[in-house]
Amino acid sequence: MNVVETVAGMDSARAALSGAVGLVPTMGALHDGHLSLVRKARADSDHVVVSVFVNPTQFGPQEDLQTYPRDMHRDLRLLEAEGVDIVFAPSTGEMYPPGFDEWVEVRGPLTATLEGAFRPQFFRGVTTVVARLLRIVQPHRAYFGEKDAQQLRVVRRMVREQGLPVEIVAMPTVREPDGLAMSSRNAYLSREERRAALVAPRALELAKDMVERGGEKDVARLKQAMERHIRREPLVRIDYIAVTDCETLEELAVIERPALLLLALRVGATRLIDNGLLALDRSP
Ligand code: PAF
């Protein structure tokens, strides 16, 4: 496995590859969710490149850039075991050289709402770094997790708007055995908070059950039930609960077609997101 730390080094490593290239962009602190993307890329492609870069431009001033979990030795061990060809692990100076001014932004409600409303800098940072990674690595496919549902849709939109020749492949959320969605930020949770965080998957299950078995279509009633469930857990605060169109992420008042339920919670100081599909039961 080749570990490349400069853009020039990545350019020449890329030039030496022939056949299909898959890119898995990550911020490191890898878990099974990341590894499911790597395995899919491995199955689809002749060569797999994984980027490991904690991207400062997607963090707000009050966020966890300094404390974001980093463990390059462990990440490299895991990636080597998955048969990754190249790990691209640039410094901040390589990704954002002096005078950098190639900001890539998707405008409109897709980036202004939900995560965009709580983290105003987030999507501009993500689209800028992902566009730069795609231009450097020039993969045929790039892999993203469905846990970051809004990020996935924003990246797809960005790729379309920028005319980048890459297929964006989405993979399902990977969960712990008790249902908590895997996230590098789960490492922040104390034992008590880890237990409290289970209200996220349980609230999603509750909503799924109400819609799919109970036939509930009214979003206000659904949210009320979820809020009641979550508020029983004193360590947890709700940033948002939203039921949206699956593609545009525009909020719905009534569920008449499959919808996406998105959730952002604070468990102590840790912010967690999760989501699930709501499909009305069509059985007679
Ligand atoms: O999802 C992430 O880990 C990051 O937002 C990404 C896509 C690697 C961009 O920094």
Side-chain angles (χ1 to χ4, degrees), residues 18-29:
S18 56
V21 174
L23 169 67
V24 181
T26 82
M27 297 209 299

Side-chain angles (χ1 to χ4, degrees), residues 99-124:
F100 177 87
D101 197 21
E102 288 164 35
W103 298 100
V104 175
E105 213 165 344
V106 168
R107 293 176 194 275
L110 182 60
T111 51
T113 54
L114 305 167
E115 286 304 287
F118 283 86
R119 308 180 68 192
Q121 71 302 317
F122 177 66
F123 288 121
R124 182 185 193 240

Side-chain angles (χ1 to χ4, degrees), residues 206-252:
L206 171 73
K208 264 177 177 298
D209 201 54
M210 284 176 71
V211 173
E212 293 172 9
R213 296 209 298 162
E216 182 62 81
K217 294 183 179 180
D218 184 86
V219 169
R221 274 202 296 268
L222 205 60
K223 283 192 190 176
Q224 221 173 52
M226 291 178 73
E227 277 173 19
R228 251 200 322 269
H229 178 81
I230 294 169
R231 288 197 203 291
R232 273 195 244 130
E233 182 47 72
L235 293 176
V236 177
R237 298 276 169 277
I238 300 172
D239 270 1
Y240 60 78
I241 299 173
V243 176
T244 72
D245 177 88
C246 288
E247 290 310 312
T248 64
L249 301 191
E250 274 162 7
E251 291 212 39
L252 303 174

